[in-house]
Amino acid sequence: IVALYTMGVRAAFTLSLVRIVLAGFTFGSPASMIYSLAGGMLSLAVMAAARKAQVFSAAGVSVLGGVSHNVGQIFVAILVMENTSLAYYLPVLVLSGTAAGVLVGILAAVLVKRLKKGIGGY
């Protein structure tokens, strides 16, 4: 979200894609990269649209990103595992995505504000 607000959609997309691929090769597996890509790309698309609409604060954009990240991952899991019962996890994931989104959004807003002021607040 910091990249989205400070560098724009293209740079945030590139950064997100590189992060997902590097983390997948370093710590995960091809399957984990698929889930991460689905969540990350859906999340970025939703956050970019929400930011462009200028209706939400950074925390609101972040909440939408957190929830859509979880929705993207569950959707792919349902497709891969051919098991719609996985949708039962959505309420818990929406709550956790909301909580994480609020926290990340508040911290990101503070960081973006400080970055726009300049390092050290000068």
Side-chain angles (χ1 to χ4, degrees):
I1 190 158
V2 172
L4 181 64
Y5 275 82
T6 58
M7 299 188 299
V9 176
R10 263 195 181 160
F13 171 80
T14 302
L15 184 64
S16 186
L17 188 61
V18 169
R19 179 193 58 81
I20 290 166
V21 170
L22 287 177
F25 282 131
T26 306
F27 303 110
S29 65
S32 68
M33 274 199 297
I34 292 169
Y35 291 114
S36 292
L37 278 169
M41 294 302 106
L42 179 61
S43 175
L44 184 59
V46 168
M47 289 191 301
R51 185 178 189 297
K52 186 175 182 177
Q54 298 181 341
V55 175
F56 299 97
S57 66
V61 170
S62 182
V63 166
L64 291 172
V67 171
S68 61
H69 188 276
N70 291 338
V71 168
Q73 288 186 328
I74 284 292
F75 181 72
V76 168
I78 288 170
L79 291 176
V80 169
M81 301 176 94
E82 297 177 354
N83 184 355
T84 58
S85 296
L86 294 170
Y88 289 115
Y89 287 108
L90 278 175
V92 172
L93 292 175
V94 166
L95 287 174
S96 66
T98 299
V102 167
L103 182 61
V104 168
I106 290 169
L107 293 173
V110 169
L111 185 57
V112 167
K113 185 176 180 181
R114 289 190 181 188
L115 286 170
K116 286 186 178 180
K117 273 185 168 179
I119 304 294
Y122 299 109

